[in-house]
Amino acid sequence: MQGIILLLLCSTIDSLRPPPCDQNGPASCITASRLQLSILYLAITLATIGLGGTRFTLGAFGADQFNDPRHQGSFFNWYIFTLYTSSAISATAVVYVEDNVSWGWGFGICVAANVIGLAIFASGSRFYRPVKPKGSPFTGLARVVVAAVRKRKMVVSSKSEDYYDRADNGGVNLVAATPTGAFKFLNRAALLTEGDTKPDGSIAKLWKLCTLPQVEDLKTLIRISPLWSTGILLSTPLAVLMSLATLQAITMNRHIGPHFKIPAGSMLVFILVSGCIALIFIERFFFPMWQKVTSRFPPPLQRVGIGHVLCALSMAVSAIVESKRLEKAHNIGANSVVPMSVLWLVPQLALAGMGEAFHFPGNNSLLYQEFPVALKSTATAMVAMMLALAYYLSTAVVGIVQRKTNWLPDNINEGRMDKVYWVCFGLGGVNFVFYLVCAWFYKYQGLAKVAEENKA
């Protein structure tokens, strides 16, 4: 909230911003001073840190209020629905106010929304079920690696009494007295040797001995990391689509009636709107229908897989629409507005939104339910990291295409953007095959434990 308040002050206090340019053109504009730029950058930094620190940790905190994975999955559905709805409002209504009224009013609305949201969150504090912090789980994971390396010459034992199985890392997840056979090298971290423990049974040297739960926690992360990595290549084509769709919209007929013209940047709202509609369909129709047919709740892996397919299809539709747009552009001249309605972009954007509605909450549910207990709050942040890496990778992909081909010139009517979309479709197809392989070999850990508890 501090960042948004600073942005509000920058837009309303004259001393915090350069004076407006006069009618003589850009040459008469006075650049911002170092102080003004420093305050602006500070505001953006604070707003970014606040957004990163609350958006996905709030999702984990909300899921902590439920025990049943089905309820957690439904929570992530409505949580993402809320994010998409608020993003759609900010990209339309708030941007309209900033463009047509003033930046001050636009940021003022944002501050008011933050205050209301904080008040609602605080009003329910007495009903929340907080999870007590128990130290950094990453330290325990690092200890496993270090201890395993230090004991690399030891022989892995098959006897349970040779391992330290006290769950003193704060986790409530129970493991067998003997470590699992996967990644046996890490089992050495829990092997007992002379001098590893004190007379009372506690660990004497923290970086030489770890508990079995800590070893199994690291194994869990290793097992799920390939599935997590598929989300990066899943989101990369979507990030490319968001950039290129705006360029397409600029060259197309954006008039709706005689007086209204759709802003090119606002076309991405169709992704958010279709995502919201798809989430309602998933929650109210898809989940109940799946449960009625199969007598069980749809697992996250199947849901994410459907998202993979829909996102890949959106690339194929994008390529087909772009080929039609280029055909019309070549018939009328490269520098003219293509006589093709911008609404032709809606199907590809709608498919992308539907794909996100399946894979985005699905990945949140999968990581949250499968991550070790000590890392639950980190699980949803891993989704944010996945998206961030995808956007960086999409920038690299576009840069490579521009350097190595003539598909993306300054005038896209003279390029072959359809080939870029086909490349993204191929990338999505290969990634989907990799995902199927990872999903085939993956065995649920957290969901399996919940199922066993429910049977008991």
Side-chain angles (χ1 to χ4, degrees), residues 224-238:
I224 204 171
S225 58
L227 283 171
W228 173 81
S229 67
T230 62
I232 300 175
L233 294 180
L234 167 64
S235 301
T236 298
L238 292 175

PDB file of all heavy atoms in Angstrom, residues 224-238:
ATOM      1  N   ILE A 224       9.108 -33.477  -7.791  1.00  0.00           N
ATOM      2  CA  ILE A 224       8.102 -32.612  -8.416  1.00  0.00           C
ATOM      3  C   ILE A 224       8.721 -31.538  -9.297  1.00  0.00           C
ATOM      4  O   ILE A 224       8.014 -30.876 -10.065  1.00  0.00           O
ATOM      5  CB  ILE A 224       7.217 -31.968  -7.326  1.00  0.00           C
ATOM      6  CG1 ILE A 224       5.858 -31.579  -7.916  1.00  0.00           C
ATOM      7  CG2 ILE A 224       7.898 -30.762  -6.689  1.00  0.00           C
ATOM      8  CD1 ILE A 224       4.850 -31.147  -6.873  1.00  0.00           C
ATOM      9  N   SER A 225      10.026 -31.336  -9.221  1.00  0.00           N
ATOM     10  CA  SER A 225      10.667 -30.267  -9.996  1.00  0.00           C
ATOM     11  C   SER A 225      10.489 -30.427 -11.508  1.00  0.00           C
ATOM     12  O   SER A 225      10.305 -29.413 -12.204  1.00  0.00           O
ATOM     13  CB  SER A 225      12.151 -30.166  -9.633  1.00  0.00           C
ATOM     14  OG  SER A 225      12.823 -31.386  -9.855  1.00  0.00           O
ATOM     15  N   PRO A 226      10.532 -31.639 -12.099  1.00  0.00           N
ATOM     16  CA  PRO A 226      10.267 -31.726 -13.542  1.00  0.00           C
ATOM     17  C   PRO A 226       8.873 -31.250 -13.915  1.00  0.00           C
ATOM     18  O   PRO A 226       8.691 -30.575 -14.937  1.00  0.00           O
ATOM     19  CB  PRO A 226      10.463 -33.212 -13.850  1.00  0.00           C
ATOM     20  CG  PRO A 226      11.360 -33.713 -12.767  1.00  0.00           C
ATOM     21  CD  PRO A 226      10.965 -32.939 -11.559  1.00  0.00           C
ATOM     22  N   LEU A 227       7.865 -31.594 -13.100  1.00  0.00           N
ATOM     23  CA  LEU A 227       6.515 -31.115 -13.378  1.00  0.00           C
ATOM     24  C   LEU A 227       6.450 -29.605 -13.275  1.00  0.00           C
ATOM     25  O   LEU A 227       5.788 -28.938 -14.084  1.00  0.00           O
ATOM     26  CB  LEU A 227       5.530 -31.753 -12.389  1.00  0.00           C
ATOM     27  CG  LEU A 227       5.130 -33.203 -12.657  1.00  0.00           C
ATOM     28  CD1 LEU A 227       4.346 -33.759 -11.481  1.00  0.00           C
ATOM     29  CD2 LEU A 227       4.336 -33.306 -13.943  1.00  0.00           C
ATOM     30  N   TRP A 228       7.115 -29.052 -12.281  1.00  0.00           N
ATOM     31  CA  TRP A 228       7.146 -27.587 -12.132  1.00  0.00           C
ATOM     32  C   TRP A 228       7.796 -26.937 -13.347  1.00  0.00           C
ATOM     33  O   TRP A 228       7.328 -25.906 -13.835  1.00  0.00           O
ATOM     34  CB  TRP A 228       7.907 -27.220 -10.859  1.00  0.00           C
ATOM     35  CG  TRP A 228       8.133 -25.748 -10.701  1.00  0.00           C
ATOM     36  CD1 TRP A 228       7.249 -24.819 -10.223  1.00  0.00           C
ATOM     37  CD2 TRP A 228       9.322 -25.024 -11.026  1.00  0.00           C
ATOM     38  NE1 TRP A 228       7.813 -23.565 -10.238  1.00  0.00           N
ATOM     39  CE2 TRP A 228       9.094 -23.670 -10.724  1.00  0.00           C
ATOM     40  CE3 TRP A 228      10.567 -25.396 -11.540  1.00  0.00           C
ATOM     41  CZ2 TRP A 228      10.054 -22.683 -10.921  1.00  0.00           C
ATOM     42  CZ3 TRP A 228      11.525 -24.411 -11.735  1.00  0.00           C
ATOM     43  CH2 TRP A 228      11.266 -23.075 -11.434  1.00  0.00           C
ATOM     44  N   SER A 229       8.851 -27.537 -13.877  1.00  0.00           N
ATOM     45  CA  SER A 229       9.553 -26.939 -15.009  1.00  0.00           C
ATOM     46  C   SER A 229       8.689 -26.908 -16.263  1.00  0.00           C
ATOM     47  O   SER A 229       8.852 -26.020 -17.104  1.00  0.00           O
ATOM     48  CB  SER A 229      10.851 -27.703 -15.287  1.00  0.00           C
ATOM     49  OG  SER A 229      10.581 -29.028 -15.744  1.00  0.00           O
ATOM     50  N   THR A 230       7.758 -27.859 -16.412  1.00  0.00           N
ATOM     51  CA  THR A 230       6.883 -27.836 -17.586  1.00  0.00           C
ATOM     52  C   THR A 230       5.982 -26.609 -17.586  1.00  0.00           C
ATOM     53  O   THR A 230       5.541 -26.162 -18.647  1.00  0.00           O
ATOM     54  CB  THR A 230       6.015 -29.097 -17.651  1.00  0.00           C
ATOM     55  OG1 THR A 230       5.157 -29.157 -16.498  1.00  0.00           O
ATOM     56  CG2 THR A 230       6.881 -30.347 -17.697  1.00  0.00           C
ATOM     57  N   GLY A 231       5.711 -26.068 -16.400  1.00  0.00           N
ATOM     58  CA  GLY A 231       4.892 -24.859 -16.334  1.00  0.00           C
ATOM     59  C   GLY A 231       5.588 -23.654 -16.939  1.00  0.00           C
ATOM     60  O   GLY A 231       4.928 -22.721 -17.420  1.00  0.00           O
ATOM     61  N   ILE A 232       6.913 -23.645 -16.926  1.00  0.00           N
ATOM     62  CA  ILE A 232       7.657 -22.527 -17.514  1.00  0.00           C
ATOM     63  C   ILE A 232       7.441 -22.495 -19.026  1.00  0.00           C
ATOM     64  O   ILE A 232       7.088 -21.461 -19.606  1.00  0.00           O
ATOM     65  CB  ILE A 232       9.154 -22.639 -17.176  1.00  0.00           C
ATOM     66  CG1 ILE A 232       9.367 -22.615 -15.658  1.00  0.00           C
ATOM     67  CG2 ILE A 232       9.939 -21.512 -17.847  1.00  0.00           C
ATOM     68  CD1 ILE A 232      10.800 -22.853 -15.239  1.00  0.00           C
ATOM     69  N   LEU A 233       7.643 -23.656 -19.684  1.00  0.00           N
ATOM     70  CA  LEU A 233       7.460 -23.718 -21.125  1.00  0.00           C
ATOM     71  C   LEU A 233       5.993 -23.666 -21.520  1.00  0.00           C
ATOM     72  O   LEU A 233       5.669 -23.360 -22.669  1.00  0.00           O
ATOM     73  CB  LEU A 233       8.102 -24.993 -21.676  1.00  0.00           C
ATOM     74  CG  LEU A 233       9.635 -25.062 -21.554  1.00  0.00           C
ATOM     75  CD1 LEU A 233      10.155 -26.364 -22.134  1.00  0.00           C
ATOM     76  CD2 LEU A 233      10.283 -23.878 -22.256  1.00  0.00           C
ATOM     77  N   LEU A 234       5.093 -23.963 -20.588  1.00  0.00           N
ATOM     78  CA  LEU A 234       3.669 -23.789 -20.850  1.00  0.00           C
ATOM     79  C   LEU A 234       3.299 -22.311 -20.899  1.00  0.00           C
ATOM     80  O   LEU A 234       2.527 -21.875 -21.764  1.00  0.00           O
ATOM     81  CB  LEU A 234       2.853 -24.498 -19.766  1.00  0.00           C
ATOM     82  CG  LEU A 234       1.354 -24.171 -19.683  1.00  0.00           C
ATOM     83  CD1 LEU A 234       0.650 -24.622 -20.953  1.00  0.00           C
ATOM     84  CD2 LEU A 234       0.733 -24.827 -18.467  1.00  0.00           C
ATOM     85  N   SER A 235       3.849 -21.526 -19.982  1.00  0.00           N
ATOM     86  CA  SER A 235       3.503 -20.107 -19.883  1.00  0.00           C
ATOM     87  C   SER A 235       4.270 -19.237 -20.870  1.00  0.00           C
ATOM     88  O   SER A 235       3.852 -18.118 -21.154  1.00  0.00           O
ATOM     89  CB  SER A 235       3.761 -19.617 -18.451  1.00  0.00           C
ATOM     90  OG  SER A 235       3.010 -20.355 -17.515  1.00  0.00           O
ATOM     91  N   THR A 236       5.408 -19.721 -21.388  1.00  0.00           N
ATOM     92  CA  THR A 236       6.205 -18.919 -22.315  1.00  0.00           C
ATOM     93  C   THR A 236       5.435 -18.577 -23.591  1.00  0.00           C
ATOM     94  O   THR A 236       5.396 -17.402 -23.994  1.00  0.00           O
ATOM     95  CB  THR A 236       7.517 -19.646 -22.655  1.00  0.00           C
ATOM     96  OG1 THR A 236       8.289 -19.812 -21.461  1.00  0.00           O
ATOM     97  CG2 THR A 236       8.333 -18.841 -23.656  1.00  0.00           C
ATOM     98  N   PRO A 237       4.804 -19.550 -24.286  1.00  0.00           N
ATOM     99  CA  PRO A 237       4.005 -19.164 -25.462  1.00  0.00           C
ATOM    100  C   PRO A 237       2.871 -18.198 -25.133  1.00  0.00           C
ATOM    101  O   PRO A 237       2.538 -17.333 -25.941  1.00  0.00           O
ATOM    102  CB  PRO A 237       3.470 -20.509 -25.967  1.00  0.00           C
ATOM    103  CG  PRO A 237       4.431 -21.525 -25.467  1.00  0.00           C
ATOM    104  CD  PRO A 237       4.861 -21.006 -24.130  1.00  0.00           C
ATOM    105  N   LEU A 238       2.274 -18.343 -23.952  1.00  0.00           N
ATOM    106  CA  LEU A 238       1.202 -17.424 -23.564  1.00  0.00           C
ATOM    107  C   LEU A 238       1.732 -16.005 -23.410  1.00  0.00           C
ATOM    108  O   LEU A 238       1.061 -15.041 -23.785  1.00  0.00           O
ATOM    109  CB  LEU A 238       0.559 -17.898 -22.258  1.00  0.00           C
ATOM    110  CG  LEU A 238      -0.234 -19.205 -22.327  1.00  0.00           C
ATOM    111  CD1 LEU A 238      -0.710 -19.605 -20.946  1.00  0.00           C
ATOM    112  CD2 LEU A 238      -1.405 -19.061 -23.280  1.00  0.00           C
TER     113      LEU A 238
END
